[in-house]
Amino acid sequence: MPDRLPDDGRFLKACRGEATDATPVWFMRQAGRYMPEYRALRATHSLLELCHEPALAAEVTLQPVNRLGVDAAILFADILLPFEPLGLGLSFATGEGPHIARPIRDVAAVNQLPELEPEAALAYVLQAVRLAVSQLPPGIPLIGFAGAPFTLASYAIEGGATRSFALTKRFMYEQPAAWHRLLGKLADFVGRYLAAQAAAGARALQLFDSWVGCLAPADYREYVQPHSSHALDLAGAGGVPLIHFGTETGGFLEDFAAAGGDVVGVDWRVPLDVAWQRIGARAIQGNLDPVACLAPLPVLEGKVRDVLARAAGRAGHIFNLGHGVLPETPVEHLQRVVELVHGA
Ligand code: CP3
């Protein structure tokens, strides 16, 4: 890890497991449709336009920092952006989520994936990192991110969202060599892409394995864990803290944590104190249920206090939701969460 800079705020300290004056907090999907200023930009620009234009991406990155008083910013981008230079054809249909025009279904498609240099293939993302970093208030670090090999592979194979992950798992079971080749390629790319984001100024990096919890523990270990480890190892060259995030990982939390990362993301299905018992002395990020943010304020406040009580003032707690902010979330509710977490 590089020398500590004087402006290291509570978020970076907590990532390193150090004590802080208050618990740091940020929210996954803190830039998005729940915020009027984001919706205003979306009225005239598509999601991909916001991502492609560094000035707009930086502007959206700063919106929740100004509005909520969170301790970290996360770059405005999407985990699926690498699919464009990989030639898979990415689009987002309103209300329907991502669509991949040329999904990967066989070994030939895996072999056709080009070898990419992140600096060239996603130059606009790295430019957005530099711009956002230059515009952020002092002491507010930028988090860079990428999709984990499994979660990216699931979109690449399914062609869009899925509930059962049937095509993904069939590919894994029927064509294990092609599967490992695909995840190896994705791990290699996202690991270098993450390190490039750190080189551009990101002070922490998050690997999103949003859907990995659909796997049985033995399948996680056999088909996924080595690739996530490889991506995190490569990202480590960036010299900044790594956050390893997944949901529904309760069935194999120890293996998920063992794959790597300085900070382990935990969702609301595992109470924080239980998570610490299971993975030992590691920094943890989480774990309020995003739906709790839709509840009446007294109910929400009770749940925030419960998360804090389970963390019990341990060093190395970063408060977050267990998954992303929902579009119907009232802005004032997130502001109240930040106040409570900082005041507790
Ligand atoms: O504020 C932030 O967190 C930074 C921006 C960010 C976006 N996507 C922008 C976005 C981040 C970190 C992501 C990650 C992402 N993208 C993940 C992993 C995190 C998670 O939520 O599990 C995944 C699975 C994706 C893929 C993706 N992008 C989906 C499934 C969707 C459609 C679902 C939806 O909410 O509409 C997107 C679109 C998307 N990416 C939006 C945003 C703000 C909403 C789109 C909009 O403005 O129309």
Side-chain angles (χ1 to χ4, degrees):
M1 224 154 272
D3 286 346
R4 288 160 202 194
L5 300 177
D7 69 345
D8 268 13
R10 37 172 99 99
F11 167 75
L12 288 170
K13 285 189 178 145
C15 286
R16 296 192 298 254
E18 296 167 15
T20 51
D21 59 330
T23 302
V25 50
W26 69 281
F27 302 105
M28 287 179 278
R29 291 282 178 97
Q30 64 188 14
R33 285 165 298 190
Y34 77 97
M35 214 183 268
E37 49 272 50
Y38 177 83
R39 289 197 301 270
L41 272 179
R42 277 287 275 113
T44 48
H45 300 278
S46 70
L47 172 66
L48 285 175
E49 280 167 9
L50 293 182
C51 294
H52 287 160
E53 177 48 52
L56 293 174
E59 181 180 344
V60 178
T61 300
L62 267 82
Q63 285 176 346
V65 175
N66 299 329
R67 194 51 110 108
L68 303 176
V70 284
D71 297 294
I74 180 158
L75 178 69
F76 191 79
D78 196 90
I79 62 164
L80 303 180
L81 295 177
F83 287 0
E84 295 187 296
L86 286 173
L88 303 186
L90 171 67
S91 58
F92 288 92
T94 323
E96 283 171 33
H99 175 74
I100 284 81
R102 291 173 290 281
I104 295 177
R105 298 280 160 77
D106 53 31
V107 70
V110 176
N111 290 336
Q112 268 168 29
L113 290 172
E115 294 259 341
L116 298 174
E117 290 306 324
E119 290 81 359
L122 292 167
Y124 67 88
V125 175
L126 302 174
Q127 189 53 27
V129 170
R130 290 184 204 98
L131 209 54
V133 166
S134 74
Q135 293 172 2
L136 277 166
I140 303 295
L142 181 75
I143 304 168
F145 70 91
F150 175 80
T151 291
L152 287 183
S154 76
Y155 282 106
I157 293 168
E158 303 281 345
T162 170
R163 275 174 187 278
S164 66
F165 296 87
L167 291 173
T168 306
K169 292 181 187 180
R170 278 187 67 177
F171 192 108
M172 189 170 94
Y173 296 137
E174 289 176 352
Q175 308 181 70
W179 171 267
H180 284 294
R181 177 171 292 200
L182 172 60
L183 266 74
K185 285 189 172 206
L186 292 171
D188 185 67
F189 180 77
V190 297
R192 291 181 295 118
Y193 175 43
L194 286 167
Q197 292 178 52
R203 301 287 305 278
L205 300 167
Q206 178 157 325
L207 188 71
F208 280 94
D209 216 349
S210 305
W211 309 132
V212 74
C214 72
L215 293 173
D219 287 343
Y220 177 72
R221 286 190 291 273
E222 178 174 351
Y223 295 103
V224 175
Q225 194 195 37
H227 302 292
S228 295
S229 280
H230 184 53
L232 288 163
D233 281 349
L234 292 172
V240 303
L242 308 178
I243 306 169
H244 187 195
F245 166 79
T247 70
E248 297 193 61
T249 54
F252 52 86
L253 189 60
E254 295 81 357
D255 299 311
F256 183 77
D262 302 281
V263 183
V264 179
V266 172
D267 79 9
W268 59 96
R269 298 169 181 93
V270 181
L272 277 195
D273 48 333
V274 175
W276 260 298
Q277 279 164 21
R278 289 180 58 184
I279 68 172
R282 284 279 276 287
I284 290 189
Q285 176 170 284
N287 73 343
L288 187 72
D289 184 344
V291 177
C293 297
L294 309 182
L297 271 180
V299 176
L300 168 60
E301 290 170 358
K303 296 199 178 292
V304 171
R305 290 198 179 92
D306 181 64
V307 170
L308 293 168
R310 289 173 189 280
R314 277 185 190 81
H317 177 216
I318 298 152
F319 192 102
N320 205 317
L321 309 181
H323 206 168
V325 176
L326 297 167
E328 58 270 49
T329 306
V331 176
E332 319 78 68
H333 284 203
L334 292 187
Q335 289 169 329
R336 181 70 188 124
V337 172
V338 172
E339 253 176 39
L340 259 179
V341 172
H342 283 165

